Amino acid sequence: MPQAAARGRARLPDLGRRTLVMGILNATPDSFSDGGRFADLDRAMAQAQRMIAEGADIVDIGGESTRPGHEAVPAEEEQRRVLPVIAELAKTSPLPISIDTYKASTAAKALAAGATIVNDVWGLTRDPDIARVAAAHGAPVIVMHNRETADAAIDTIADQLAFFRRSIDIALAAGVAEDDVAIDPGIGFGKTFEQNLETLARLAELSVLGRPILLGTSRKRMIGAILDLPTEERLFGTLATNVAGILAGAAIIRVHDVRPHVEAARVTDAIVRSRPASRPQGTRP
């Protein structure tokens, strides 16, 4: 394995052997689920420590809300929100820290502060220099499928496969290691309600790319629409989507509620491993 890939794999322990749980930490005043709750350093650190104690494998820190209708945040403000949390957490926790950003300048400063993974909701297409930044740090990248607007007429899986192939090409051309690219189908981003459900139902088709799949459904509008429940009451629906996702091949789940998902993932993993000749998640077919 190339040296950069070895460094990246070390930052994603047990990837492919069990489902990893990524805890969401929004250092923002306006995220759709917990806007403002963790916008100062003390509360952000307390939440990070809580997620770690509950069994999180990765902490994903973001400083710009990506909820529907959000306003873009200047890089300087995004960095003001996330860099103190990353620096403090890196001093106290051995867990990998993911920076949730599509801006190269924020990624560079976050990686210098102690983050080890880049999670880009625009799949390296909004600011292609972010791939070079990740490569320079030997950091794995998570590329999420996104669209400016939803189009009900398209085949969403075909669209995702084309998008991911472009993102993977950008990553590899910039020097990101072959084994350091994960994909995220982007539930709730640039898709109709029906396309979100179809993505979950057809998730296994993305395995043709041979990349670890991250699934992020936590508390999202799709679940609220099915159950007619507000954001804070969508845990059980989220659990259902993530169990289905793990059974379909998801290697990482990104969640607000860590402990319930750690327990659900462990049980689901045990079921998956009991299958004859089952193939570990995140491996190439």
Side-chain angles (χ1 to χ4, degrees):
M1 180 181 293
Q3 184 178 3
R7 290 199 303 269
R9 281 298 187 193
R11 294 166 186 180
L12 290 172
D14 292 332
L15 181 63
R17 291 187 290 274
R18 63 182 179 85
T19 302
L20 302 185
V21 177
M22 173 185 280
I24 300 168
L25 181 55
N26 292 315
T28 63
D30 58 347
S31 63
F32 84 96
S33 179
D34 50 18
R37 289 182 60 198
F38 312 119
D40 69 66
L41 180 59
D42 288 344
R43 286 188 290 176
M45 284 299 298
Q47 175 64 2
Q49 296 298 340
R50 182 178 302 112
M51 292 192 295
I52 292 168
E54 291 182 353
D57 298 292
I58 307 164
V59 177
D60 187 51
I61 300 175
E64 178 178 335
S65 172
T66 52
R67 77 190 195 285
H70 75 282
E71 293 186 7
V73 173
E76 294 77 13
E77 173 60 18
E78 181 184 36
Q79 292 159 22
R80 185 193 68 78
R81 295 174 181 180
V82 301
L83 293 180
V85 183
I86 292 170
E88 186 65 22
L89 186 58
K91 289 189 295 187
T92 60
S93 170
L95 285 190
I97 299 169
S98 171
I99 175 62
D100 182 355
T101 187
Y102 56 86
K103 302 182 185 76
S105 62
T106 298
K109 291 183 178 181
L111 291 167
T116 54
I117 302 165
V118 174
N119 181 15
D120 184 349
V121 299
W122 281 102
L124 312 179
T125 63
R126 182 59 61 90
D127 184 352
D129 199 42
I130 198 170
R132 180 195 60 77
V133 168
H137 288 265
V141 296
I142 299 164
V143 296
M144 194 191 82
H145 174 264
N146 209 336
R147 294 176 58 88
E148 291 287 354
T149 57
D151 181 353
I154 64 171
D155 179 326
T156 186
I157 296 299
D159 190 63
Q160 289 175 46
L161 289 171
F163 182 98
F164 288 137
R165 289 186 174 107
R166 184 166 66 252
S167 294
I168 292 165
D169 285 346
I170 292 170
L172 299 184
V176 176
E178 177 78 22
D179 290 336
D180 282 349
V181 185
I183 61 174
D184 174 353
I187 299 297
F189 289 83
K191 298 173 185 65
T192 65
F193 171 79
E194 291 77 13
Q195 287 171 336
N196 285 317
L197 286 177
E198 182 181 0
T199 296
L200 286 169
R202 298 174 61 190
L203 190 67
E205 294 180 38
L206 299 180
S207 65
V208 69
L209 296 173
R211 307 286 166 173
I213 298 170
L214 180 147
L215 184 61
T217 61
S218 189
R219 303 180 184 175
K220 288 193 173 175
R221 180 180 297 181
M222 173 193 71
I223 297 167
I226 294 169
L227 300 175
D228 191 23
L229 288 173
T231 304
E232 64 275 11
E233 296 181 22
R234 298 174 186 171
L235 168 59
F236 300 137
T238 302
L239 284 164
T241 61
N242 281 313
V243 168
I246 294 168
L247 291 171
I252 308 170
I253 54 174
R254 182 177 180 272
V255 301
H256 296 89
D257 304 286
V258 170
R259 181 180 171 183
H261 283 93
V262 168
E263 295 183 0
R266 297 301 166 264
V267 173
T268 311
D269 284 349
I271 295 168
V272 171
R273 286 198 303 271
S274 74
R275 294 173 176 169
S278 62
R279 181 173 59 83
Q281 296 166 321
T283 58
R284 297 184 182 279

